[in-house]
Amino acid sequence: MNLLIVTGMSGAGKSQAVNSLEDLGYYCVDNIPPALIPSFVDLGKRGSESLSRLAVVTDTRGGDLFSEIENILNMLKGRNVQYKLLFLDASDDVLIRRYKENRRKHPLCNVSDITVEEAVKIERKMLKVLRLCADYIVDTSLISPAQLKEQLSTIFFGNNNNGFSVQCISFGFKHGPLMDADILIDARCLPNPFYDEGLKNLTGLDNRVKEYVLSTDDAKEFSNKLLSFIDSAVPLYSKEGKSRLCIGIGCTGGKHRSVTFAEEITKFLNEKGYNCVAVHRDINK
């Protein structure tokens, strides 16, 4: 049985994650008290085909019942139950904005007379330990539901290098930083195709932009040294037992230079035998 425990900050997209996981073949149970997780594990051990991939969501909506989560995780380890912990996160500003936009009440506001801002700060302290011990952390601050599904698919269905998968994400700094990158690269030091009228409205997926970005001696040296670093670093992450590696590469707008190099890195790693996909966060902005 493949057991995935999903938790994280309220408003970070756990419901969207559940929808995506269901589409990916998981049997999902939302808003479950931690104490009931072992019961679902027992059901899964009976060999039911529908429970071969089980995802349970548990979080602060459970109130006092959620306080048992650390004890339950220790119990599962004591019973040699293999599981992975997925933590959904987002910046405080984004979480607060989401609650104010949809006018929903934060779970911690149901049990005490506090503001959303205070609730977010309290919840982050409550979940600090879980975040530290999570196998996977996905920051949803600046990604769409479709991009979240793509990330989850990459994380849980990579089949090369013992399940080790790599995601190379291009982005634009002006649209906000990439929060969950393990390796972060800045390509703003290279000439920007945005200022060429013939290339301005194209993206790094177009060969004309790619040729422009990689045409100078500086760019070629940058590319060679970057790929050499990637070639050295990625095996070390895999050797350390990391299941997923996120490489972020940014430029100003996230349409030209970062896209070009994200594609170059992805091609390079796939040729090396890794399971690598490119995601272009800001290419349509």
Side-chain angles (χ1 to χ4, degrees):
M1 182 186 66
N2 184 338
L3 174 62
L4 176 65
I5 299 174
V6 183
T7 190
M9 296 293 292
S10 299
K14 294 188 293 295
S15 295
Q16 292 174 348
V18 166
N19 292 336
S20 297
L21 290 168
E22 285 183 342
D23 291 342
L24 294 171
Y26 277 84
Y27 184 94
C28 300
V29 184
D30 193 9
N31 196 14
I32 180 176
L36 291 181
I37 295 176
S39 298
F40 279 92
V41 171
D42 292 339
L43 285 174
K45 286 183 176 180
R46 294 179 185 177
S48 172
E49 180 70 23
S50 63
L51 294 179
S52 60
R53 290 195 185 103
L54 174 62
V56 296
V57 183
T58 184
D59 52 38
T60 56
R61 288 175 293 173
D64 291 340
L65 296 175
F66 183 68
S67 63
E68 302 177 14
I69 181 62
E70 291 181 40
N71 291 334
I72 296 300
L73 293 181
N74 289 331
M75 178 193 299
L76 294 176
K77 290 178 181 177
R79 292 170 52 179
N80 293 319
V81 175
Q82 300 297 314
Y83 68 86
K84 295 293 185 181
L85 183 62
L86 169 65
F87 192 99
L88 277 293
D89 202 356
S91 68
D92 288 359
D93 289 344
V94 169
L95 294 173
I96 293 167
R97 188 188 73 238
R98 287 174 181 173
Y99 270 101
K100 290 185 176 180
E101 287 177 350
N102 62 33
R103 300 189 178 183
R104 294 186 62 193
K105 184 179 286 187
H106 191 284
L108 297 186
C109 293
N110 288 329
V111 295
S112 56
D113 186 20
I114 59 176
T115 65
V116 173
E117 290 85 350
E118 292 169 330
V120 169
K121 291 179 180 179
I122 293 171
E123 186 178 46
R124 192 168 293 285
K125 290 180 181 179
M126 292 172 60
L127 298 179
K128 182 178 180 180
V129 173
L130 283 179
R131 194 181 194 282
L132 289 172
C133 67
D135 296 284
Y136 313 104
I137 300 173
V138 176
D139 188 294
T140 66
S141 300
L142 295 167
I143 62 175
S144 67
Q147 289 172 321
L148 173 58
K149 182 176 181 179
E150 187 173 8
Q151 288 200 28
L152 294 177
S153 178
T154 300
I155 291 171
F156 298 116
F157 290 90
N159 53 15
N160 294 326
N161 293 285
N162 297 318
F164 177 73
S165 62
V166 184
Q167 194 170 43
C168 192
I169 304 178
S170 70
F171 69 98
F173 281 98
K174 75 176 185 179
H175 300 299
L178 189 65
M179 301 300 293
D180 58 344
D182 300 293
I183 298 174
L184 189 60
I185 302 153
D186 186 347
R188 290 176 294 183
C189 56
L190 300 174
N192 191 351
F194 177 84
Y195 297 107
D196 185 311
E197 287 299 322
L199 304 176
K200 180 177 181 178
N201 296 318
L202 303 177
T203 74
L205 298 177
D206 191 289
N207 284 332
R208 287 169 289 179
V209 173
K210 176 183 174 181
E211 290 171 1
Y212 179 96
V213 171
L214 298 175
S215 63
T216 66
D217 290 340
D218 286 341
K220 291 173 183 176
E221 183 178 7
F222 181 93
S223 179
N224 289 335
K225 289 184 176 179
L226 173 58
L227 294 180
S228 177
F229 165 71
I230 294 294
D231 193 28
S232 299
V234 170
L236 299 180
Y237 283 96
S238 179
K239 185 178 179 180
E240 281 295 307
K242 193 173 180 66
S243 299
R244 169 185 174 263
L245 178 68
C246 178
I247 301 174
I249 180 158
C251 61
T252 304
K255 294 172 68 74
H256 300 106
R257 294 164 291 181
S258 61
V259 173
T260 295
F261 279 103
E263 290 290 324
E264 288 292 293
I265 294 170
T266 299
K267 179 182 177 183
F268 175 79
L269 288 176
N270 282 326
E271 289 176 350
K272 291 283 183 177
Y274 291 98
N275 177 45
C276 182
V277 296
V279 177
H280 305 302
R281 193 191 75 182
D282 301 326
I283 195 170
N284 294 316
K285 293 181 180 178

